[in-house]
Amino acid sequence: MVALPNDFTRSFALDYDGARVKFRNAANDVGAALTTYTHPALKGPNGQDLCIDVARLGDPRAASQLVILSGTHGLEGLSGSAAQIGWMQSNFARALPRGVSILFVHAINPYGFAWGTRTTENNVDLNRNFIDFSTPRPGNPGYAKLYPHLLPEDWTPAALQIYADAVEAFKDAHGDDGLFDTLARGQYDFPDGSNYGGSGREWSNLTLETIIADHLGAAERIGFIDWHTGIGDFGESFFLCFNPEGGALHAEAVRWWGRDRIFGQKPNNFARPNYQGLVFHGMTRFLGVRPMVGAVIEFGTRGTKVRRALQLDLWLKFKAEKDSERVRMLRADLHDCFVPVSSHWREETTEQAISITQQAVEGLASWSLSAAA
């Protein structure tokens, strides 16, 4: 008998409000304890509260704890939320190994999730915001050559070609890897630019530190998954592990998820950028000396063509008319780039997310046993 695909409509939602309801219902169904952190100043597009919901499954005193984030890049949250919900709706959630607890952090960037943008309320890429702002901010001199052409006054083929030509000229001078590094590593000089890391810690950054302090006090070893979309082949998982290669934690990640997923990662077949200010880095700092094994895990969508969607996200925010048929059309295209409406994509990514999560759970359980031996 051929296994039937999962019913993705049970885990995916249409928007932030629907995702929040489904997440909280799934957490309640498995007996998870819920905590909510509400943005003190901002509201969503319908006047709703902007909330990070945290669900604890298992013993909060467990030595081994898995932290799973969704919505770091706001509108990607529909996929990350479905990944969290899908595992909670699976049989695995009712057979959690002894000594392991899971902390689901839903919509860590609720503003971006609710308003349909990748960034926070300050156009900050939250996954570039976890630097030490008491020291000089990381440089990215190449970005200054591309920035002047990034935001056209109007979204027309002729206007977009100007930026495309600038990108091509930069690639000719610096190579594919140099271009990708410049566009992806993060920049801290242009507040209306792409991958802007901010001038200080965002509310979501500060709140994540609070969540870790509130919920992970008993943890001795931590697993970490930060769900994303964009990089990789369509509908396929792509891992970015930031545990240093050659170290024990990197070897543990290989044991959980396999060597092919963890070694030699080349996003979109380019050299891995010198990413700055990742949530992964912030988590490591918040945990201090406690070991953490984990990865940013992407589900592929449009490959290098995602670059146009990043530009569109900024244009819709800073240049577009308030509302029109074309704006609604472009916004739908932006959302489809990061969370494709394809049932195949949603079925496949949900299945993979459940499996990947369970591998982390089982890896944590056996890591705990080996550590205690």
Coordinates of all heavy atoms in Angstrom, one line a residue, residues 146-167 308 311-312 315 319 326 330:
L146 N 25.9 48.4 -4.4 CA 24.6 47.9 -5.0 C 23.4 48.7 -4.4 O 22.4 48.8 -5.1 CB 24.5 46.4 -4.6 CG 25.5 45.5 -5.2 CD1 25.4 44.1 -4.5 CD2 25.4 45.4 -6.7
Y147 N 23.5 49.2 -3.2 CA 22.4 49.8 -2.6 C 21.8 51.0 -3.4 O 20.5 51.0 -3.4 CB 22.8 50.3 -1.2 CG 21.8 51.3 -0.6 CD1 20.7 50.8 0.0 CD2 22.0 52.7 -0.6 CE1 19.7 51.6 0.6 CE2 21.1 53.5 0.0 CZ 19.9 53.0 0.5 OH 19.0 53.8 1.1
P148 N 22.5 51.9 -4.0 CA 21.8 53.0 -4.7 C 20.9 52.6 -5.8 O 20.0 53.3 -6.2 CB 23.0 53.8 -5.3 CG 24.2 53.4 -4.5 CD 24.0 52.0 -4.1
H149 N 21.0 51.3 -6.3 CA 20.1 50.9 -7.4 C 19.0 49.9 -6.9 O 18.2 49.4 -7.7 CB 21.0 50.1 -8.4 CG 22.2 50.9 -8.8 ND1 22.2 52.0 -9.6 CD2 23.5 50.6 -8.5 CE1 23.5 52.4 -9.7 NE2 24.3 51.6 -9.1
L150 N 18.9 49.7 -5.6 CA 18.1 48.7 -5.0 C 16.6 49.0 -5.1 O 15.8 48.1 -5.5 CB 18.4 48.4 -3.6 CG 17.6 47.4 -2.8 CD1 17.8 46.0 -3.4 CD2 18.0 47.4 -1.3
L151 N 16.2 50.2 -4.8 CA 14.8 50.6 -4.7 C 14.4 51.6 -5.7 O 14.5 52.8 -5.6 CB 14.6 51.2 -3.3 CG 14.4 50.3 -2.1 CD1 14.2 51.0 -0.8 CD2 13.2 49.3 -2.4
P152 N 13.8 51.1 -6.8 CA 13.3 52.0 -7.8 C 12.0 52.7 -7.4 O 11.3 52.2 -6.5 CB 12.9 51.0 -9.0 CG 12.6 49.7 -8.3 CD 13.5 49.7 -7.1
E153 N 11.7 53.8 -7.9 CA 10.5 54.6 -7.6 C 9.3 53.8 -8.0 O 8.3 53.8 -7.3 CB 10.5 56.0 -8.2 CG 11.5 56.9 -7.6 CD 11.3 57.1 -6.1 OE1 10.1 57.3 -5.7 OE2 12.3 57.1 -5.3
D154 N 9.4 53.1 -9.1 CA 8.2 52.3 -9.6 C 8.7 50.9 -9.9 O 9.9 50.7 -10.3 CB 7.6 52.9 -10.8 CG 6.1 52.5 -11.0 OD1 5.6 51.7 -10.2 OD2 5.5 52.9 -12.0
W155 N 7.8 49.9 -9.8 CA 8.1 48.5 -10.0 C 7.8 48.2 -11.5 O 6.8 47.7 -11.8 CB 7.4 47.6 -9.1 CG 7.8 46.2 -9.0 CD1 7.3 45.1 -9.7 CD2 8.9 45.7 -8.3 NE1 8.0 44.0 -9.4 CE2 9.0 44.3 -8.6 CE3 9.9 46.2 -7.4 CZ2 10.0 43.5 -8.0 CZ3 10.8 45.4 -6.9 CH2 10.9 44.0 -7.1
T156 N 8.8 48.5 -12.4 CA 8.6 48.3 -13.8 C 9.8 47.5 -14.3 O 10.9 47.6 -13.7 CB 8.5 49.6 -14.6 OG1 9.8 50.3 -14.5 CG2 7.4 50.5 -14.0
P157 N 9.7 46.8 -15.4 CA 10.8 46.0 -15.9 C 12.0 46.9 -16.2 O 13.2 46.5 -15.9 CB 10.3 45.4 -17.2 CG 8.8 45.3 -16.9 CD 8.4 46.5 -16.1
A158 N 11.8 48.1 -16.7 CA 12.9 49.0 -17.0 C 13.7 49.4 -15.8 O 14.9 49.4 -15.7 CB 12.5 50.2 -17.8
A159 N 12.9 49.8 -14.7 CA 13.5 50.2 -13.5 C 14.3 49.0 -12.8 O 15.4 49.2 -12.2 CB 12.4 50.8 -12.5
L160 N 13.7 47.9 -12.8 CA 14.3 46.7 -12.2 C 15.6 46.3 -12.9 O 16.5 45.7 -12.3 CB 13.3 45.5 -12.2 CG 12.1 45.7 -11.3 CD1 11.2 44.5 -11.5 CD2 12.5 45.9 -9.9
Q161 N 15.7 46.6 -14.2 CA 16.9 46.2 -15.0 C 18.1 47.0 -14.5 O 19.2 46.4 -14.6 CB 16.6 46.5 -16.5 CG 17.7 45.9 -17.4 CD 17.8 44.4 -17.2 OE1 16.8 43.7 -17.2 NE2 19.1 43.9 -17.1
I162 N 17.9 48.2 -14.0 CA 19.0 48.9 -13.5 C 19.7 48.2 -12.3 O 21.0 48.1 -12.3 CB 18.6 50.3 -13.0 CG1 18.0 51.1 -14.2 CG2 19.7 51.1 -12.3 CD1 17.3 52.4 -13.9
Y163 N 19.0 47.7 -11.4 CA 19.5 46.9 -10.3 C 20.1 45.6 -10.8 O 21.2 45.2 -10.4 CB 18.5 46.7 -9.2 CG 19.0 45.9 -8.0 CD1 20.0 46.4 -7.2 CD2 18.5 44.6 -7.7 CE1 20.5 45.7 -6.1 CE2 19.0 43.9 -6.6 CZ 20.0 44.5 -5.8 OH 20.5 43.8 -4.8
A164 N 19.5 45.0 -11.7 CA 20.0 43.7 -12.3 C 21.3 43.9 -13.0 O 22.2 43.1 -12.8 CB 19.0 43.1 -13.3
D165 N 21.5 45.1 -13.7 CA 22.7 45.4 -14.3 C 23.8 45.6 -13.3 O 25.0 45.2 -13.5 CB 22.6 46.6 -15.2 CG 21.7 46.3 -16.5 OD1 21.5 45.1 -16.8 OD2 21.3 47.3 -17.1
A166 N 23.5 46.3 -12.2 CA 24.5 46.6 -11.1 C 24.9 45.3 -10.5 O 26.1 45.1 -10.2 CB 23.9 47.5 -10.1
V167 N 24.0 44.4 -10.3 CA 24.3 43.1 -9.7 C 25.2 42.3 -10.6 O 26.2 41.7 -10.2 CB 23.0 42.3 -9.4 CG1 23.3 40.8 -9.1 CG2 22.3 42.9 -8.2
R308 N 15.0 38.6 -6.3 CA 14.0 39.5 -6.7 C 12.9 39.7 -5.7 O 12.5 40.9 -5.5 CB 13.4 39.1 -8.1 CG 12.2 39.9 -8.6 CD 12.6 41.3 -8.9 NE 13.6 41.4 -10.0 CZ 13.2 41.4 -11.3 NH1 12.0 41.2 -11.7 NH2 14.2 41.5 -12.2
Q311 N 14.0 42.1 -3.0 CA 13.9 43.5 -3.5 C 12.4 43.9 -3.5 O 12.1 45.1 -3.1 CB 14.4 43.6 -4.9 CG 14.5 45.0 -5.5 CD 15.0 45.0 -6.9 OE1 15.1 44.0 -7.6 NE2 15.4 46.2 -7.4
L312 N 11.5 43.0 -3.8 CA 10.1 43.4 -3.8 C 9.6 43.6 -2.4 O 8.8 44.5 -2.2 CB 9.3 42.2 -4.5 CG 7.8 42.3 -4.5 CD1 7.3 43.5 -5.2 CD2 7.2 41.0 -5.1
W315 N 10.4 47.1 -1.7 CA 9.7 48.1 -2.5 C 8.2 48.2 -2.0 O 7.7 49.3 -1.9 CB 9.7 47.7 -4.0 CG 9.0 48.7 -4.9 CD1 9.6 49.8 -5.4 CD2 7.7 48.7 -5.3 NE1 8.7 50.5 -6.1 CE2 7.5 49.8 -6.1 CE3 6.6 47.8 -5.1 CZ2 6.3 50.2 -6.7 CZ3 5.4 48.1 -5.7 CH2 5.2 49.3 -6.5
K319 N 8.0 52.0 -1.1 CA 7.7 52.8 -2.4 C 6.3 52.6 -2.9 O 5.8 53.4 -3.6 CB 8.8 52.4 -3.4 CG 10.2 52.7 -3.1 CD 10.4 54.2 -3.0 CE 11.9 54.5 -2.8 NZ 12.2 56.0 -2.8
R326 N -2.4 45.8 -8.6 CA -1.0 45.3 -8.8 C -0.3 45.1 -7.5 O 0.5 44.1 -7.4 CB -0.3 46.2 -9.7 CG 0.2 47.5 -9.1 CD 1.3 48.1 -10.0 NE 1.8 49.3 -9.3 CZ 3.0 49.9 -9.6 NH1 3.8 49.3 -10.5 NH2 3.4 50.9 -9.0
L330 N 1.4 41.7 -6.5 CA 2.8 41.6 -6.2 C 3.0 41.0 -4.8 O 3.9 40.2 -4.5 CB 3.5 42.9 -6.3 CG 3.7 43.5 -7.7 CD1 4.1 44.9 -7.7 CD2 4.7 42.6 -8.5

